[in-house]
Amino acid sequence: TPTTPAPTPRAIPSRVAPSPIGPEGAFEQRVADMAGRLHMRAGDLMAVMRFESGLRPDAINPTSHAVGLIQLLPQHAADLLGLPMTPDRNARAVQAFASMTADEQLDYVEAYLDQVLHGHGAANLRDAYMAVFYPAAVGQGDSFVIARADGESAFGRAVYSQNAWLDVNGDGVITAGEAARRVGGVRG
C-alpha cells in the first residue's frame, strides 16, 4: 500500500516565531513564554506535557491515537494543521505530529490551548490539565465529574474504562481533582 507523505504543517499565527531546538533550557524558556501568553503557570504546562507524553513529541496512544506533547486527538491535530477532509486525514495528522520536534509542536500546543481556554487562562494545575484532557471541566472545581464506571452513556463509560487509573479513590467516579492529583505526581 502506498504511503501518503506527511503534510507540511500550516503556519500557526503566533507572537513568537518557531525556533529550532537550541541550547539546553531553550525549550523550557519557550514554554515559559507561551504559558505567560496563555495566562497559566509554566510549571503546570510542563507537568501536563510530562504526564501526557513524557515530553516525547512522537508519543502516540495505542487506543485513541492521540499524539504529541499534549496527546492531541487525531481530529484536533488535523484541524490545527488545516488538513482537508479526506479518508486518511486523521492518520496523516498523527504522522505529521509524530515527526515534529518538541519545539516545533509548541506553536500547535499554544494554538490549541488558546482555542480551548478562550483567553481566560488556567489558574491552577487542574485547569491546565482539564484544558487538555476534558475542556468542559476547566474552571469547574475539583469535584466536577468527568466520567463514571456506571455512567448513563456508552461514551461516558468508555471514558471511564480508558482512564480508570485516574480514579484515585476507586469509587467508580473520575473527578477533575483526582485527575489533577495524578498529574501533580509528575512535576519535575
Side-chain angles (χ1 to χ4, degrees):
T1 317
T3 59
T4 306
T8 302
R10 180 176 65 140
I12 296 292
S14 174
R15 287 159 249 161
V16 174
S19 64
I21 298 268
E24 191 170 324
F27 177 79
E28 291 82 359
Q29 185 57 55
R30 282 201 66 211
V31 171
D33 293 344
M34 180 174 75
R37 290 188 298 276
L38 292 167
H39 309 289
M40 61 193 314
R41 294 185 300 230
D44 292 347
L45 182 53
M46 286 295 289
V48 168
M49 292 188 294
R50 192 174 290 109
F51 182 78
E52 285 294 304
S53 67
L55 295 176
R56 289 187 36 236
D58 62 340
I60 300 173
N61 181 295
T63 303
S64 68
H65 305 288
V67 63
L69 293 172
I70 62 170
Q71 292 291 282
L72 287 164
L73 290 173
Q75 64 269 24
H76 296 305
D79 290 345
L80 287 168
L81 291 169
L83 296 180
M85 293 292 184
T86 60
D88 66 342
R89 178 180 194 255
N90 289 349
R92 288 175 47 220
V94 169
Q95 181 183 26
F97 265 84
S99 68
M100 290 180 198
T101 66
D103 196 61
E104 289 168 333
Q105 280 188 23
L106 285 182
D107 291 317
Y108 296 98
V109 169
E110 182 171 4
Y112 177 77
L113 290 173
D114 192 46
Q115 288 173 2
V116 169
L117 295 170
H118 309 288
H120 298 293
N124 50 47
L125 178 61
R126 180 197 63 237
D127 285 347
Y129 184 52
M130 289 303 105
V132 170
F133 180 66
Y134 202 86
V138 173
Q140 299 298 317
D142 283 346
S143 62
F144 183 85
V145 174
I146 294 169
R148 296 177 181 276
D150 64 352
E152 293 180 18
S153 73
F155 175 76
R157 291 188 303 275
V159 168
Y160 183 89
S161 68
Q162 291 173 13
N163 299 283
W165 67 284
L166 294 175
D167 182 4
V168 173
N169 62 9
D171 66 352
V173 177
I174 300 170
T175 65
E178 286 177 308
R181 280 192 285 288
R182 291 284 191 203
V183 178
V186 301
R187 281 191 182 271

